[in-house]
Amino acid sequence: MAAVFPLDTTKPWVFNGVTYEYDASEDRWYVVSTTATDSVIEGISDNRSQIDVLDTIIDQEIENRSNLLDAATTKNNQQDASILELDQRLDAISDAAGTLQFKGRYTYVLEKSEEACTQAYLACLIAAAGDPLAAGECSNIDAACNAALDEPYSNGTFTSKGTTNVISDIEEFVITGIDLDGQSIDWLNVAEVGDYLEMFGIDDGDTALYEIIEEPKVFNVERSIRVKFIRETGAGDGKLNLQENYTVRVFKTSQGLDLTDADKRYVIAPYVVYFADSPADITPVADSGILRNGELWFDTAALQMFVWNNNSWVAVSPPPTQDIRVAAVEADIQALRAKPDITSSTTAPVSPKQGDLWFNPSTLKFAFYTAGAWINPDQS
């Protein structure tokens, strides 16, 4: 029963053995004495014990809840990491939407076979040219090659099977599932029969196109892809070279690869004519960022033409003499800066127009079409 304090505040008031007096200054009743029995105290102690037990249970439940939250957070983080990895792989797929492509960078390495080790050993002996020290080193290299036959290929590497590195002779590739940039590529699902596999030589510009003729297979921990050679550019040496880097692309036929357009990548021609006062002013237009054999540079300071051949500019005609009629040619050159029509052939182009350029690779001569005739800069 709840206590109901009396209206008369002038006298003390006793309720359940507890005496209260009224404090007018604070306008409240306060306890002045009690006759509480031991049973009341014990009851309070029991209640306190129960409260302690309850507190312990509450603390345990809070700890359990915290553990569950931590576990959920860890699981969420793991899911976030998995989603991020999936996003990255989807990004790689989306780069190719419409035409292309799974793409990765790889280093070409020696095939892990006894035949390949033997061929490399013989080539080393030939290069040693009878030098006993060099021949001894060849033996060491051969021993290391054979000792590593059962080891998996390193990440970011690929090779050709059949002891050949000649681009047109390759019938099968072995490639790892992780490229030089750490990108994971699932070749078993990426490459299908009828798709096209392209190897682009970052160092020398070789570009080769193959058709995939069998579903990729597991080869140790790598993937084996059988191919049929289609064509190559020939811009390099026609070989896959050891320890050189290549971009490997897959063109999906299901995305509509147009081989007519693709053929444009495999035409040997001077790719562009650069107009500049010096080589330092030239910025290569190729994706690799390097100059390619057959590209031309017209020296606008010396009025001389050069062709890029084996890492150097080679003059294709002597400097013009003072009696050359240069003024009209210079006007044509200025017009050609925008978008010249350039032809590389051993015979003169049909139906040329004013300002066209013609490079004859058999004579290494360069001519401008002006006033109805082909004019060579070294003509008087």
Side-chain angles (χ1 to χ4, degrees):
M1 177 180 175
V4 178
F5 291 96
L7 297 177
D8 185 2
T9 59
T10 60
K11 296 182 292 184
W13 177 63
V14 179
F15 179 79
N16 286 344
V18 180
T19 301
Y20 299 87
E21 286 187 358
Y22 182 76
D23 186 346
S25 63
E26 296 185 5
D27 191 22
R28 69 183 181 87
W29 294 89
Y30 64 93
V31 178
V32 295
S33 67
T34 180
T35 59
T37 64
D38 291 342
S39 62
V40 175
I41 299 302
E42 289 174 357
I44 294 174
S45 298
D46 291 341
N47 290 338
R48 180 171 298 170
S49 177
Q50 293 175 4
I51 291 172
D52 290 341
V53 172
L54 183 60
D55 286 343
T56 302
I57 293 173
I58 292 173
D59 290 341
Q60 185 63 52
E61 290 300 324
I62 291 174
E63 183 178 355
N64 291 340
R65 182 175 178 274
S66 298
N67 291 337
L68 289 173
L69 290 174
D70 290 342
T73 300
T74 300
K75 186 174 182 180
N76 287 337
N77 290 338
Q78 293 172 345
Q79 290 176 339
D80 289 344
S82 299
I83 291 172
L84 178 60
E85 180 182 358
L86 182 60
D87 284 343
Q88 291 171 343
R89 297 182 68 178
L90 288 175
D91 287 342
I93 296 174
S94 65
D95 287 343
T99 54
L100 185 68
Q101 104 197 16
F102 287 86
K103 179 173 66 175
R105 289 193 315 118
Y106 288 86
T107 301
Y108 183 75
V109 297
L110 186 68
E111 178 190 2
K112 291 182 181 294
S113 69
E114 293 182 2
E115 295 81 2
C117 291
T118 300
Q119 285 200 6
Y121 176 61
L122 294 176
C124 184
L125 289 178
I126 293 173
D131 184 344
L133 292 178
E137 182 61 25
C138 291
S139 298
N140 294 335
I141 294 175
D142 181 58
C145 182
N146 282 279
L149 292 182
D150 295 329
E151 297 178 2
Y153 289 88
S154 300
N155 287 341
T157 63
F158 79 107
T159 190
S160 53
K161 297 188 68 175
T163 67
T164 181
N165 67 333
V166 178
I167 286 175
S168 59
D169 294 339
I170 295 174
E171 296 181 348
E172 188 171 1
F173 289 103
V174 174
I175 189 166
T176 59
I178 299 178
D179 73 352
L180 290 174
D181 299 313
Q183 178 184 203
S184 178
I185 300 179
D186 185 1
W187 292 106
L188 292 181
N189 293 314
V190 167
E192 300 176 301
V193 174
D195 289 344
Y196 294 91
L197 191 69
E198 183 186 68
M199 305 289 179
F200 170 69
I202 298 174
D203 299 318
D204 66 2
D206 264 324
T207 306
L209 187 69
Y210 300 87
E211 181 182 358
I212 298 173
I213 60 175
E214 286 186 8
E215 295 292 339
K217 296 179 175 61
V218 176
F219 180 82
N220 292 333
V221 295
E222 298 82 29
R223 301 294 178 260
S224 171
I225 304 176
R226 291 203 62 218
V227 296
K228 179 178 71 176
F229 172 73
I230 302 297
R231 59 181 61 87
E232 63 178 305
T233 62
D237 59 5
K239 299 178 181 179
L240 299 179
N241 299 306
L242 294 176
Q243 302 307 316
E244 288 191 2
N245 293 333
Y246 293 82
T247 297
V248 182
R249 300 181 176 96
V250 174
F251 291 84
K252 304 294 293 180
T253 52
S254 61
Q255 301 292 341
L257 173 66
D258 187 341
L259 280 181
T260 301
D261 288 338
D263 281 344
K264 297 176 183 178
R265 299 169 58 86
Y266 300 92
V267 176
I268 304 174
Y271 303 94
V272 69
V273 176
Y274 300 97
F275 292 88
D277 290 345
S278 70
D281 299 327
I282 295 175
T283 301
V285 299
D287 293 339
S288 63
I290 60 176
L291 294 166
R292 296 175 290 182
N293 285 345
E295 292 188 318
L296 303 174
W297 162 43
F298 185 78
D299 187 338
T300 51
L303 298 180
Q304 187 174 1
M305 181 63 67
F306 297 85
V307 61
W308 183 257
N309 183 46
N310 295 328
N311 299 319
S312 65
W313 289 110
V314 179
V316 299
S317 61
T321 58
Q322 295 296 323
D323 59 348
I324 295 179
R325 294 178 298 170
V326 177
V329 176
E330 283 185 331
D332 289 340
I333 293 174
Q334 295 301 323
L336 289 170
R337 286 181 184 271
K339 188 178 180 182
D341 288 334
I342 304 165
T343 303
S344 175
S345 61
T346 56
T347 59
V350 178
S351 302
K353 65 179 183 298
Q354 181 75 9
D356 280 356
L357 306 177
W358 168 38
F359 175 69
N360 190 331
S362 63
T363 62
L364 294 181
K365 296 293 184 180
F366 182 81
F368 302 93
Y369 191 79
T370 181
W374 290 104
I375 305 298
N376 193 287
D378 60 357
Q379 286 180 312
S380 58

